[in-house]
Structures are given as structure tokens and as C-alpha cells.
Amino acid sequence: MITTLAGIDFSAPSEVVASQLIGVTLLFNGVGGRIVETEAYDREEPASHCYGGETPRNFAMFGAPARSYVYQSHGIHWCLNFVCREVGHGAGVLIRALEPLPDPDGLALMRARRKLHDQRLLCSGPGRLCQALGVTRTHNNLVLSEPPFVLLPRDPAHAVTVLAGPRIGISKAVELPWRFVEAGSRFLSKPMRSA
DNA sequence: GCAGGGATGAACT
DNA sequence: GTTCATCCCTGCA
């Protein structure tokens, strides 16, 4: 079983994986961008879908690490997570925002799917990036080391500054600083609260 | 049966 | 800056 991708060991705690994913390039069917915002979730804290144990909806998070967990939010939007920890634990990282790759074909495809021209808003939110990439329920529980997924390591020549802060859109465990962003990125779903 | 959600975009003040 | 309707499925009573 492959648990290390793009230099990241997905069997590590989700907050570790979440911070290391900032700067990694995510491609889905050849379309995507650099990850600039993530959030960590774990079965031990009540904001997580896996809090309270495995259900038919969240079973993928209890499976092997380095796989996908896709769920629908508010009946409208899809959200993409990467599974972490060991089999049976229940942990994952929500991919919240991408900086779109400057590839003309990819940009055109994402703009068409989003019916939106503004590059800054193409992938600046978990539901938005799934719409731009074409991720839906059929992509739940897939191996991240194989197509349609491709993960490329950070560019070692480019230093990335990662900031941590409280997560967005949750009502429980709001104090945990498990949101991670690239400092100064224009492509965040919301600006990081100034420290 | 029903309350609520890891969100978004439009319509407001 | 803020509120608000929207969509559908899940989980628990």
C-alpha cells in the first residue's frame, strides 16, 4: 500500500499532513493547481464527520490513507478530502482552496465548469474547487496515487510560508488551529485571521 | 419524522 | 460589511 505521495506520509496525523500539503500541486484529470488552503479533521474531535464512528457516509475516512473522501454539503456542493492515519482510525484533510495552474486549457475548462471568469474565485473554497475540477460522489474512496489524481511535490526552489488558524464553517471544536494556508495567497476562501 | 450540515452566491444595509 | 434562500442527504429520535 502506498502511503507516501509528493513527499508526504499520509499515515501521519491529519494536522501534520494538512500543513505539509500547502504548496503541493493537485491535478485531477490534468486540471488543478497548487494547494493553498487545507483543514485537518480527526475522529477525536467533534467537528469531524468521523466523530462517533464509522457510518455508510464516512466509511472512506476509516479506510486506507492516501485515498479520497468526497461528501456532499448542503445538498449542493461536493467537498474533497484526503484520508490520513492508519486503517480504521478515521482522519482526513479537507482541501479548501487551490491556486489554479496557469495552463490555458485547464483554466478554460475550469472557467467553463464554474461559469465564471475571475481566476481568483475559480477554486477558492471546497465546493468551488470540486466544481472546477469536476469532482463528485463517484470519486469517493479512490487511491490518490493513481489517475485521475496526480500529486506533485512542492517546488524546492520556492519557499512556502504556512500559517495556522481556526477552521471555517464549523460549530464545534472551533478553537483548534487546524486550518492551514499559504501566507499571502490571493486564492484563499477567506483571509487568515491576522495573528 | 425531522433537524442540521466541513458552502455558495445573491441580495441586502 | 451582513443576512438569507437554496439545495439533498445523513444521522438519530
Side-chain angles (χ1 to χ4, degrees):
Chain A
M1 188 206 311
I2 298 175
T3 63
T4 298
L5 286 173
I8 297 173
D9 180 6
F10 282 80
S11 64
S14 52
E15 69 272 23
V16 173
V17 176
S19 67
Q20 293 178 340
L21 278 170
I22 302 299
V24 169
T25 294
L26 164 65
L27 295 179
F28 185 83
N29 287 324
V31 174
R34 289 175 57 246
I35 298 171
V36 295
E37 179 176 352
T38 60
E39 284 179 2
Y41 289 88
D42 190 279
R43 125 183 243 178
E44 302 300 321
E45 46 88 15
S48 170
H49 284 176
C50 15
Y51 188 70
E54 184 174 336
T55 68
R57 171 223 216 172
N58 66 18
F59 76 95
M61 286 184 97
F62 288 87
R67 297 175 80 102
S68 60
Y69 165 52
V70 178
Y71 69 92
Q72 194 178 31
S73 177
H74 295 73
I76 311 172
H77 306 289
W78 299 99
C79 297
L80 172 64
N81 298 248
F82 294 167
V83 178
C84 300
R85 290 278 192 154
E86 66 274 13
V87 173
H89 180 93
V93 174
L94 171 66
I95 310 302
R96 286 193 57 92
L98 303 178
E99 173 183 339
L101 274 191
D103 163 57
D105 294 337
L107 282 176
L109 184 53
M110 289 192 282
R111 282 178 172 136
R113 285 180 179 143
R114 294 268 297 124
K115 298 181 169 59
L116 180 81
H117 184 77
D118 188 345
Q119 189 172 335
R120 194 180 65 82
L121 295 176
L122 269 187
C123 304
S124 299
R128 291 167 177 165
L129 76 88
C130 283
Q131 188 182 8
L133 269 54
V135 174
T136 69
R137 121 165 323 160
T138 62
H139 310 294
N140 186 38
N141 200 30
L142 296 182
V143 179
L144 298 180
S145 57
E146 298 173 7
F149 288 100
V150 175
L151 288 179
L152 304 174
R154 281 178 183 169
D155 178 358
H158 258 269
V160 175
T161 303
V162 178
L163 301 180
R167 294 174 291 182
I168 288 178
I170 56 173
S171 57
K172 296 164 186 167
V174 285
E175 73 285 352
L176 278 177
W178 278 10
R179 179 184 180 223
F180 301 90
V181 307
E182 177 176 359
S185 172
R186 301 167 47 229
F187 298 94
L188 306 181
S189 63
K190 289 195 172 113
M192 181 60 84
R193 182 198 59 176
S194 54

